[in-house]
């Protein structure tokens, strides 16, 4: 079945440093979604990428979808303490259906002030 | 209510007992999911439903069952709880299997 690998598992940064997490799928995706989970909270949708090579920005967050639609990245510029949490990618397989959304294991972002 | 609601918020359960986790959404979403979240293992899909009346098995379905009698409700049942089912359980819904998923607040279940 479809597998979604996400690295790194943990990332420690000093406040103000940049942060990047990477996501790779074993199969070509219909789209990829990114979620953020604050400590003790539930995953919250951030963005969805659909097109090959797509780049989207949300303030300090930049999301990219690879040309082959099998990999993606999330980059945060100048991290702030409010960025703390776990970032998950989720790949939607071609053909849709609820079984087609596979989550990566997440990257835990820890920020040292 | 607005969105997706889970109950209970937390529960301590004796091994061998039966337990149903409730999930209700009012967004008229077709797809609903149950995930369990364990440290280091991320979100693992237990069961899913693409539409009312249909369900399917996810990555870790053993020991769990679901039903989808209507659009709004998607209960998860543990027939005979075991300690390895200690976890945080999230219910989620989306318009279909490809679009933004909305998560409930989660149920923290401890089986002793």
């Amino acid at each position: 079945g479809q597998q979604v690998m996400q690295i790194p598992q943990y990332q420690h940064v000093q406040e103000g440093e940049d942060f990047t997490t990477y996501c790779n799928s074993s199969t070509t995706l219909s789209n990829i979604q990114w979620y953020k989970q604050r400590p003790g909270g539930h995953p919250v949708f951030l963005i969805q990428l659909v097109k090959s090579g797509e780049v989207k920005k949300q303030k300090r967050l930049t999301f990219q979808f690879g040309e082959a639609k099998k990999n993606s990245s999330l980059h945060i510029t100048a991290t702030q303490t409010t960025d703390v949490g776990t970032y998950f990618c989720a790949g939607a397989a071609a053909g849709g259906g609820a079984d087609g959304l596979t989550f990566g294991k997440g990257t835990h972002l820890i920020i040292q002030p | 209510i607005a969105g997706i609601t889970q109950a209970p918020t937390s529960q301590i359960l004796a091994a061998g007992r039966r337990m149903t986790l409730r999930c209700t959404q009012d967004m008229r979403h077709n797809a609903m999911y149950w995930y369990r979240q364990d440290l280091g293992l991320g979100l693992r899909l237990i069961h899913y439903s693409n539409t009312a009346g249909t369900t399917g098995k996810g990555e870790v379905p053993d020991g769990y069952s679901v039903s989808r009698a209507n659009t709004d409700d998607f209960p998860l049942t543990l027939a005979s709880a075991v300690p390895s089912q200690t976890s945080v359980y999230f219910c989620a819904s989306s318009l279909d299997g490809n679009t933004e998923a909305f998560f409930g607040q989660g149920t923290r279940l401890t089986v002793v």
Side-chain angles (χ1 to χ4, degrees):
Chain A
Q2 178 182 318
Q3 292 184 346
V4 175
M5 306 297 293
Q6 192 172 351
I7 59 169
Q9 186 175 3
Y10 292 91
Q11 183 74 58
H12 292 78
V13 300
Q14 294 284 337
E15 186 176 9
E17 291 182 339
D18 293 356
F19 158 78
T20 305
T21 174
Y22 301 90
C23 190
N24 287 285
S25 171
S26 59
T27 60
T28 302
L29 299 170
S30 168
N31 69 72
I32 194 155
Q33 300 167 25
W34 286 92
Y35 293 78
K36 176 183 178 181
Q37 183 178 24
R38 296 181 184 274
H42 60 280
V44 175
F45 175 83
L46 292 176
I47 208 160
Q48 176 175 287
L49 304 171
V50 179
K51 299 177 182 177
S52 170
E54 189 170 14
V55 178
K56 286 189 177 180
K57 293 190 175 184
Q58 289 180 350
K59 298 182 179 179
R60 295 179 293 103
L61 278 61
T62 301
F63 304 84
Q64 294 187 329
F65 200 11
E67 294 290 340
K69 299 185 71 172
K70 295 180 73 173
N71 58 74
S72 181
S73 65
L74 158 59
H75 179 83
I76 301 178
T77 303
T79 55
Q80 300 175 359
T81 55
T82 53
D83 296 324
V84 164
T86 303
Y87 293 84
F88 292 97
C89 63
D99 59 316
L101 193 64
T102 302
F103 279 81
K105 288 184 169 36
T107 296
H108 300 264
L109 174 60
I110 298 115
I111 297 175
Q112 296 155 337
Chain B
I1 59 172
I4 184 164
T5 303
Q6 290 184 237
T9 303
S10 65
Q11 181 76 47
I12 299 174
L13 187 67
R17 295 296 295 271
R18 181 184 179 89
M19 173 77 187
T20 295
L21 308 185
R22 300 184 298 278
C23 177
T24 299
Q25 54 101 0
D26 65 354
M27 297 174 283
R28 309 304 294 171
H29 284 171
N30 291 312
M32 296 189 74
Y33 327 75
W34 274 105
Y35 292 91
R36 60 176 291 173
Q37 185 173 35
D38 304 287
L39 191 62
L41 298 177
L43 292 158
R44 293 184 294 168
L45 183 65
I46 305 171
H47 284 287
Y48 66 91
S49 170
N50 286 326
T51 188
T54 68
T55 62
K57 294 180 179 180
E59 180 186 355
V60 288
D62 294 344
Y64 306 95
S65 64
V66 292
S67 62
R68 187 88 184 275
N70 57 61
T71 298
D72 298 347
D73 301 301
F74 192 44
L76 176 74
T77 298
L78 289 67
S80 179
V82 295
S84 62
Q85 292 178 310
T86 293
S87 186
V88 179
Y89 291 85
F90 287 102
C91 180
S93 72
S94 67
L95 186 60
D96 57 39
N98 268 334
T99 55
E100 172 186 358
F102 293 80
F103 283 79
Q105 300 292 323
T107 295
R108 184 173 296 275
L109 180 67
T110 304
V111 182
V112 297

